[in-house]
Amino acid sequence: HLLLFLLFVGPFNCFASYSRATELFYSLNEGLPAGVLIGSLAHDLRLPTAGGQNPASLQPPLSFTLASHGLGGQYVQLDNRSGELHTSAVEIDREALCMESSGATIFGGSAAVSSSSASPESCLLLLDVLILPQEYFRLVKVKIAIRDVNDNAPRFPVPHIRLLVPENAPVNTRLAIEHPALDPDMGTNGVQTYRLRDNYGVFTLDVEENENGERTPYLIVMGALDRETQDEYVTVIVAEDGGTPPLVGSATLTIGISDINDNCPQFNDSQLNVTLYGNSSLGTHVATVHAVDMDLGSNAQITYSYSQKVPQPSRDLFHLNESTGAITLSSKVDGDTPRLHRLIILGNGPGCIPAVITVLVTIIKVMMRPPEVVPRFIANEVEGVVYLKELEPINTPVAFFTIKDPDEKYKVSCYLDGDGPFRLSPYKPYNNEYLLETTKPLDFETQQLYEISVVAWNSEGFHVKKVVKIQILDDNDNSPVFSEQLIELSIEENNVPNAFLTKLHATDADSGERGQVSYFLGPDAPSYFALDKTTGVLTVSTQLDREEKEKYRYTVKAVDSGFPPRESIATVTITVLDKNDNSPRFINKDFSFFVPENFPGFGEIGVISVTDADAGQNGWVALSVLNGSDIFVIDTGKGVLRAKVSLDREQQSSYVLWIEAVDGGDPALSSTAKITILLLDINDNPPLVLFPQSNMSYLLVLPSTLPGSPITEVYAVDKDTGMNAVIAYSIIGRRGPRPESFRIDPKTGNITLEESLMQNDYGLYRLLVKVSDHGYPEPLHSTVMVNLFVNDTVSNESYIESLLRKEPDISVEEKQPQISIEPTHKRMESASCMPTLVALSIISLGSIALVTGMGIYICLRKGKKHHRADENLEVQIPLNGRINLHMLEKKPVEISNI
């Protein structure tokens, strides 16, 4: 009872489960990339998703899963949460999936590929998708139709198609062409039309479609054919599909014209006249008739026979060969034999009216027997042909000939008739023996066959001729000969690999294998040249670079196949032609030139060296200045850089130029280089005194000033750099009550009080200060007057000013200031320091000197003054009471150990 219950209930359970199954149908083109959206199962099935219209309800998230990963599953990707179906990285190829499974379904677990027999163009990808959780459980059958795209061109199964057409085929004859083109695409993307590339005016194509949609091309004869005029037509058959754009495929179509028996035998002449001596021996050749039939094979077979009009005695006297048409004497001629015979011979072909020729044979009656010529060959003789090697020496014997009169009544003589290196001479001591021998070396290449005759005649004038054919056998006595001993070639550089250079040609006068020539490269040929052994085609397997090597020279050999082989050698020279494949190249990417300032205009600053590996016009280089062309100019030919004007370092200490080099190629190539011009300082600026500002200014010095106290300073700057800007201060003239009371620091220019001032030291002191640089070779200097008024107060300024206006009577002291330039501040003699300072100055001008000068200049421009604790500098007091020197900042000049 339980078994019956299960059998009854089971089918209903299955029905209930599958009642929740759903089918979805999608379609897409084949060949799509990964990530293309096929469809959304959740959207298309209207399933509730998280974030729907009732967010308050707690919906469990849906899960979409392929039942199992089979054949179709590799082409799609299913998002487990959203249910979106996308293409995978495996590209869908409709032809690979469905062409072999037409009319069947290939299952792969839950995924399969189907091509319905109801629609041969349909191709389905079947997927089974499970939707969970349990309350939303559903099995979804997804069908994806793969649409065809025109991604395959028609292709013939064989590259060469041959078709035979009878030459008597009537117009409009249709012949099916086997091996039609195949196209894996379907519908209009498949093969639609065929055409001939050349129809010769006698052919065309038609296409027939059967019930299965298969298209077969038919060749249609449009004109009369004649095999004897043209026995073959070679064209190209082209198959084209209906895609957009259409794709085509082709194959060679050879149309052979088969022969039919539409021609009959024909003789070239209608009558042939022959003379025969009555004493001719049996088997003597009388004549040969020959007819021609333009057909082929069995249709051209000809047999010869006598006409019924030929009497039987003539048939008995002359034998006719049915196959060759040769007529020979078959019976002995006697006194009763007729002297004239009319032989009518028929040329018979299959299905044809016989061709007719008449042979008239006239027999000449002879009362005596002719001389006899009996040969006995020494050399190799086969069927009447004597074979001699071309290398046989002179006087090689060929044959003995015995000459005799059969009646022994007449004297018989003989001679040799015909051209050739042969002679016939009596062979003593015999009277009727003659020897045939060679007189010169034989040469197969000059003449291969000689036909000579040994002629015997008797005293009655009767002649008999014995024909001897001598065939010369070839020996390997000739070497191959090149058409040119020096083969000069040229090729542009950067050629494609395996580029054709030339085809060598050598001939060998020998015959057969001895004359077959093979080609080989000499041992000096580079490995990247190749020479075809059989054809002699010379190629180069790699790209040639003219800049690497411009000329190649090597040998080639031509070797014959004789034994032993002979060879000859030729020389190949290859010139690699230049292409503009190299840009101009500067010796350096960055050029630096050090030029002294005030360098004269159009003077040579330096030479810009540039090269171009190309040749000729491609290697010609033109130089130009890209920037700064208003100041600088460059000589295109020599590369000499010049300045149009004199350069002043104080205005600009360096220049950066960009130079462009352009070659003469088409298109032109170019390159650029950076040029840095650093101006070297020369001592062209004397020191400039900034303080005091005037020779008429003065300073009040109180008598209570303590010795060693700073009074004032002289401050100067120099626009030059390096040693040219190192300033030294010195007092070269003094005037006053006790002028030696004041001294000046040669380094800083600070003026200090040396001794205590007494009452009798009151008055005006005038100090002539010399401010000198350390320039080389000649230092420059400036002078300034420092006026000091020693007094308690300035009660009468006009009086002091009047004293200042007077020309001071000051004697100049020529004393060179001494400045220590060492960090230890030790004194050094200028004579010993000068060469060292000059050398160091020149070396460092490019960097340290430039930085030092710019630093001094910037500090002066800003007008700032740095105080040092060890210098104990004081605020200056105005000399004339009008200038607020507290507002004037001082800049002591530091002397560095340059």
Side-chain angles (χ1 to χ4, degrees), residues 301-365:
Q301 289 183 354
I302 302 175
T303 59
Y304 302 93
S305 64
Y306 285 124
S307 170
Q308 296 294 331
K309 298 180 180 180
V310 178
Q312 190 62 39
S314 296
R315 293 170 180 260
D316 296 337
L317 185 61
F318 301 103
H319 175 262
L320 175 63
N321 189 303
E322 293 183 355
S323 300
T324 63
I327 304 172
T328 56
L329 184 64
S330 59
S331 299
K332 189 175 181 180
V333 178
D334 54 21
D336 298 332
T337 302
R339 297 294 176 257
L340 182 62
H341 296 266
R342 186 182 183 88
L343 306 178
I344 302 173
I345 300 175
L346 306 178
N348 305 293
C352 291
I353 299 175
V356 181
I357 186 172
T358 300
V359 180
L360 292 178
V361 182
T362 301
I363 298 177
I364 300 175
K365 187 175 180 181

Side-chain angles (χ1 to χ4, degrees), residues 421-441:
F422 304 98
R423 67 170 170 235
L424 185 66
S425 57
Y427 190 73
K428 297 180 180 181
Y430 305 105
N431 293 328
N432 58 346
E433 297 289 343
Y434 292 85
L435 177 64
L436 178 65
E437 58 185 354
T438 61
T439 59
K440 295 179 180 179

Side-chain angles (χ1 to χ4, degrees), residues 866-873:
H866 299 278
H867 296 274
R868 296 184 181 272
D870 56 350
E871 291 181 351
N872 298 320
L873 299 179

Side-chain angles (χ1 to χ4, degrees), residues 361-377:
V361 182
T362 301
I363 298 177
I364 300 175
K365 187 175 180 181
V366 179
M367 299 304 295
M368 64 185 71
R369 289 188 293 175
E372 294 183 357
V373 179
V374 181
R376 288 171 292 166
F377 293 101

Side-chain angles (χ1 to χ4, degrees), residues 63-75:
S63 173
F64 300 85
T65 310
L66 289 174
S68 64
H69 295 277
L71 176 62
Q74 62 179 324
Y75 299 104

Side-chain angles (χ1 to χ4, degrees), residues 45 129 265 296 339 510 517 637 719 765 821:
L45 295 174
V129 179
L296 293 176
R339 297 294 176 257
D510 294 325
V517 180
K719 293 182 180 180
Y765 290 79
I821 63 172

